[in-house]
Amino acid sequence: DTGVSQDPRHKITKRGQNVTFRCDPISEHNRLYWYRQTLGQGPEFLTYFQNEAQLEKSRLLSDRFSAERPKGSFSTLEIQRTEQGDSAMYLCASSLSGTARKNIQYFGAGTRLSVL
Amino acid sequence: AQSVTQPDIHITVSEGASLELRCNYSYGATPYLFWYVQSPGQGLQLLLKYFSGDTLVQGIKGFEAEFKRSQSSFNLRKPSVHWSDAAEYFCAVGRYTGTASKLTFGTGTRLQVTL
């Protein structure tokens, strides 16, 4: 059973460029989450999917951000027209659905984005 | 809305000494509480979780936490710290109502271990 996998681990981009990150969840998990963590802060919830449906989005997820999970397996997070304020660690997590005990979230190693 | 407060930004302990990291939460219903640990440049590893029942929960790596409803606290403890425990520790509260499923994290406590 492999854990949550994120790619790339690091991304350096210039302001105004688009970037896309990928997350592969634990294979039997039908829920997938995205969080953002800035320096010195705890992770902040961005959005989550149950299978291919995006069920909740945070107000942090501006119009420049879009997340997809087209086949209910891996997910992508795209940031368009990046800004320096987008520099952060983007964490992906996955879980089962159902009771709270099944919703334990397991995290990947994250993608660190630096916008120059 | 739920929130988590970790009052200590940075704690330094000597190897072999005991450790307690504080966590206070605000949540209107029965809280589901978690402690995660993050090593530099890494993701989050789950240390332990509380859903209901016994208020003292055991986790991995010798950690335990005690849920105190009257104090809205979920403090993390370890009797004897090892140098490898140096990391950032996050307390989180989970919300699972309707279609909602998310964790709200505190700002973290950075643990430094001196030899």
Side-chain angles (χ1 to χ4, degrees):
Chain A
D1 177 25
T2 58
V4 178
S5 176
Q6 292 189 247
D7 184 68
R9 291 292 310 278
H10 303 275
K11 179 70 177 179
I12 300 173
T13 191
K14 294 182 179 178
R15 189 176 52 186
Q17 298 294 305
N18 299 345
V19 294
T20 300
F21 312 139
R22 176 181 170 124
C23 173
D24 288 87
I26 293 171
S27 58
E28 64 267 29
H29 286 182
N30 60 341
R31 285 189 169 178
L32 187 149
Y33 310 79
W34 287 99
Y35 290 81
R36 182 174 70 184
Q37 184 180 21
T38 53
L39 207 58
Q41 300 297 314
E44 296 173 290
F45 172 82
L46 291 178
T47 188
Y48 96 94
F49 293 83
Q50 178 161 309
N51 301 313
E52 63 275 6
Q54 190 171 18
L55 294 187
E56 188 172 355
K57 291 195 291 186
S58 161
R59 280 172 285 182
L60 291 176
L61 212 66
S62 76
D63 292 344
R64 297 184 297 105
F65 287 69
S66 63
E68 294 183 342
R69 195 183 183 198
K71 297 183 179 179
S73 56
F74 73 91
S75 174
T76 57
L77 178 67
E78 181 183 18
I79 308 175
Q80 295 182 328
R81 305 180 304 281
T82 52
E83 302 172 356
Q84 287 186 326
D86 297 331
S87 296
M89 174 81 90
Y90 290 84
L91 293 164
C92 178
S94 70
S95 77
L96 297 169
S97 59
T99 64
R101 290 180 184 273
K102 289 188 174 182
N103 272 269
I104 297 171
Q105 295 181 29
Y106 297 91
F107 284 80
T111 293
R112 181 167 295 284
L113 173 66
S114 297
V115 181
L116 305 179
Chain B
Q2 64 268 32
S3 66
V4 175
T5 301
Q6 294 182 246
D8 305 305
I9 296 173
H10 185 224
I11 283 182
T12 300
V13 299
S14 299
E15 189 175 37
S18 63
L19 171 71
E20 182 169 25
L21 302 183
R22 295 184 291 164
C23 171
N24 292 97
Y25 67 90
S26 173
Y27 189 64
T30 301
Y32 303 111
L33 296 162
F34 305 84
W35 276 98
Y36 285 85
V37 60
Q38 185 177 38
S39 297
Q42 300 300 311
L44 301 170
Q45 181 182 21
L46 179 66
L47 282 178
L48 47 75
K49 56 198 179 288
Y50 170 80
F51 292 106
S52 64
D54 194 348
T55 56
L56 185 64
V57 294
Q58 302 297 320
I60 62 171
K61 304 184 180 186
F63 285 92
E64 65 178 27
E66 185 171 14
F67 170 63
K68 293 186 178 180
R69 184 183 298 273
S70 62
Q71 297 177 19
S72 297
S73 69
F74 188 57
N75 294 348
L76 182 71
R77 301 194 294 243
K78 186 169 185 178
S80 177
V81 169
H82 188 262
W83 64 267
S84 60
D85 293 325
E88 186 125 28
Y89 292 79
F90 292 95
C91 181
V93 61
R95 175 171 175 254
Y96 312 106
T97 56
T99 58
S101 176
K102 70 183 224 182
L103 295 174
T104 298
F105 288 85
T107 52
T109 297
R110 180 167 298 281
L111 173 65
Q112 184 176 356
V113 180
T114 58
L115 300 176

